[in-house]
Amino acid sequence: MSRIIENVGMLDLTQATEETVTSIERIGNVGLVIYRAETAHLLTLLKNAGNIGKTLEIPEGHRYYSGTLRLDEEYFQLLEQPDRVFVNGTVIIDKEVSLEVFQNGTLHLVVNGQVYAPRHLAGAVTAALIKAGGASAEIHAYQYEPRFESGKVQLNNAYLASSNEPMELVLNGIVQLDKELDMEQFTARIESIRVNGKAVIHEHQSPYFYEKLKTINGLVEVIPAGFEYVTKPVRLNARTARRFKDHKLYTNKPLILEADVTRDAFSQALSEIQSTSFIICSEEIEDLVWERCPNLNTEIVSYERLFVFINGEETWSRDQLLALGQPASFIVDGTLTFDDDVTEEDIKASLSSLDLFGEVVVGEKRIKGILYPYLRVNNGSIIVKGTEEALAGIGNVGMLSL
């Protein structure tokens, strides 16, 4: 049975056969392909693969290791025969390994990734690394044992207090510096930072953060001074808007203002909004919202009397549309499916406008044509049932072994 796979971070062909490779009907972009000499011919069978970033052949006689490999002094002491290792990932050499033990070992190391070595071994490790094929290694000499964090990390005062000695941080994913982080303690506790992903910092933290930053494979997002960082969609009505007094919001999530938020209430609540997402507001306050949004990337969508916001997956029938009782502005950030019983007359009676950030699925092409005049924002797509490309396989994959 053929399979379809969207995108693959790493494709492992070391154990693959012609049968397993040809069982893939189509594969998306591939970041890295690992193979051995005896499976090299399978590369030519990947005819239906998208772009391939890099191919690496494991040198003959080397065992293969993918991930994080930690080597301590006991490992080197037990080496009686040469150990030939090809590592795709990270190698960490324990700080207790002495130069004498390391040099007496018979490790032949090829690395495609990073090597963390204590400072007293950095030179010896660099000299011992074997260059093979397209493998490329970055060697980082450390004074303190590196601390690895993955996923979403909140760097706050409790985190700093969790270690008795300075930390060399390696952060994979998203790291956010808490607004109340003691930057004097940060300077004292953090020896260095390497980020693979995204770092979110406040403007006043910039000089401290960049002083410690050694490498970043990703981006740094800086929250302007005086702004409150909002990480989830915010919906304000006349009552909840009172909690804000001349606030400045910084967000990449939708902001929704209900119809009962008056011009006066809005003016008192928010003095400035920096958003890379969109804001839903009534036409009554639309001009004020524009005034408070200097970022041209902010999309502002207004409604006259009633709006429907879809941010997940919803299916609407003819009865639901008619139950609205009046035309409404539909703002779709997820997937809206119209039942097959929805007619042209139902659309005309129920929609005043359509702002599309996600998908609308309709039963027939004619309904698709009827929707177009209602479109204001068109950052999504309208799909006719039965014509959408079904994923008959696997989504994005970090590592795939065939």
Side-chain angles (χ1 to χ4, degrees):
M1 179 179 178
S2 296
R3 292 177 290 171
I4 297 175
I5 301 169
E6 286 198 326
N7 295 299
V8 176
M10 191 189 85
L11 179 61
D12 181 1
L13 295 182
T14 56
Q15 303 296 321
T17 64
E18 290 190 15
E19 183 180 5
T20 59
V21 173
T22 55
S23 70
I24 304 296
E25 179 181 337
R26 179 163 53 88
I27 189 169
N29 298 322
V30 181
L32 172 68
V33 180
I34 300 282
Y35 62 96
R36 291 186 182 277
E38 53 269 31
T39 59
H41 65 287
L42 299 178
L43 289 171
T44 60
L45 300 179
L46 294 172
K47 296 177 181 177
N48 293 324
N51 299 318
I52 295 177
K54 186 177 183 180
T55 61
L56 284 180
E57 179 179 340
I58 300 175
E60 185 177 0
H62 283 64
R63 63 186 177 92
Y64 170 49
Y65 193 95
S66 179
T68 300
L69 178 63
R70 292 179 178 272
L71 303 175
D72 58 16
E73 188 164 72
E74 184 178 7
Y75 162 81
F76 288 97
Q77 289 173 338
L78 293 176
L79 280 181
E80 296 179 353
Q81 300 293 327
D83 192 12
R84 304 178 188 276
V85 190
F86 176 95
V87 178
N88 180 57
T90 302
V91 176
I92 304 170
I93 300 177
D94 193 90
K95 63 182 180 181
E96 302 301 331
V97 177
S98 66
L99 179 60
E100 181 182 7
V101 168
F102 179 84
Q103 290 178 328
N104 289 338
T106 49
L107 174 64
H108 301 275
L109 191 62
V110 181
V111 179
N112 183 59
Q114 293 81 40
V115 180
Y116 291 87
R119 287 182 180 176
H120 67 276
L121 290 184
V125 172
T126 302
L129 273 178
I130 300 170
K131 179 69 175 176
S136 59
E138 293 179 23
I139 300 176
H140 306 296
Y142 69 81
Q143 181 178 357
Y144 303 97
E145 190 85 26
R147 183 166 173 173
F148 292 82
E149 301 284 3
S150 298
K152 191 172 183 179
V153 180
Q154 183 80 8
L155 200 55
N156 52 27
N157 292 327
Y159 186 95
L160 295 180
S162 65
S163 178
N164 293 324
E165 65 176 14
M167 293 179 278
E168 299 197 17
L169 293 179
V170 182
L171 303 162
N172 301 305
I174 299 175
V175 58
Q176 181 182 338
L177 269 61
D178 190 89
K179 188 176 182 180
E180 305 303 324
L181 188 65
D182 184 332
M183 299 314 294
E184 297 300 327
Q185 283 298 312
F186 175 86
T187 299
R189 296 278 186 172
I190 304 297
E191 182 70 16
S192 66
I193 295 179
R194 303 179 196 279
V195 178
N196 300 306
K198 178 181 176 182
V200 181
I201 65 175
H202 294 267
E203 189 173 2
H204 71 276
Q205 298 168 335
S206 294
Y208 302 90
F209 178 79
Y210 284 110
E211 183 184 356
K212 300 295 182 180
L213 184 65
K214 296 301 181 185
T215 60
I216 179 162
N217 297 310
L219 60 92
V220 178
E221 184 174 0
V222 181
I223 302 168
F227 279 75
E228 185 174 346
Y229 184 39
V230 180
T231 59
K232 61 182 181 180
V234 174
R235 193 164 189 143
L236 297 182
N237 55 36
R239 182 173 55 83
T240 55
R242 293 175 189 165
R243 62 175 293 201
F244 295 97
K245 299 293 183 185
D246 208 30
H247 273 49
K248 295 180 179 179
L249 298 186
Y250 180 89
T251 183
N252 54 15
K253 301 294 182 183
L255 172 62
I256 303 159
L257 302 167
E258 300 280 5
D260 61 353
V261 178
T262 63
R263 295 178 68 85
D264 186 54
F266 177 75
S267 297
Q268 292 185 30
L270 301 174
S271 60
E272 190 171 339
I273 304 166
Q274 290 214 17
S275 171
T276 53
S277 182
F278 57 85
I279 299 172
I280 302 172
C281 65
S282 69
E283 291 181 354
E284 292 295 320
I285 63 171
E286 183 180 5
D287 60 319
L288 292 178
V289 176
W290 280 108
E291 288 177 6
R292 283 161 172 74
C293 293
N295 190 340
L296 297 179
N297 292 318
T298 307
E299 198 80 61
I300 297 174
V301 293
S302 63
Y303 57 90
E304 183 178 359
R305 287 176 292 179
L306 180 67
F307 73 93
V308 176
F309 178 47
I310 309 287
N311 65 345
E313 290 189 9
E314 292 190 25
T315 299
W316 278 60
S317 65
R318 180 171 188 267
D319 290 341
Q320 283 176 284
L321 287 174
L322 296 180
L324 290 172
Q326 59 180 310
S329 297
F330 275 70
I331 300 124
V332 180
D333 193 31
T335 301
L336 168 63
T337 301
F338 285 124
D339 267 349
D340 292 343
D341 63 353
V342 173
T343 65
E344 177 180 350
E345 288 70 28
D346 300 329
I347 296 289
K348 291 179 178 177
S350 306
L351 262 70
S352 60
S353 62
L354 174 62
D355 296 292
L356 190 53
F357 300 94
E359 291 182 343
V360 173
V361 181
V362 298
E364 55 180 309
K365 292 181 180 178
R366 196 169 61 85
I367 298 295
K368 180 177 179 178
I370 291 168
L371 286 174
Y372 269 99
Y374 294 92
L375 277 173
R376 294 189 305 187
V377 176
N378 188 10
N379 293 335
S381 55
I382 302 176
I383 300 168
V384 179
K385 285 180 185 174
T387 62
E388 66 268 37
E389 185 179 357
L391 177 62
I394 306 172
N396 297 327
V397 177
M399 188 184 82
L400 177 66
S401 297
L402 296 179

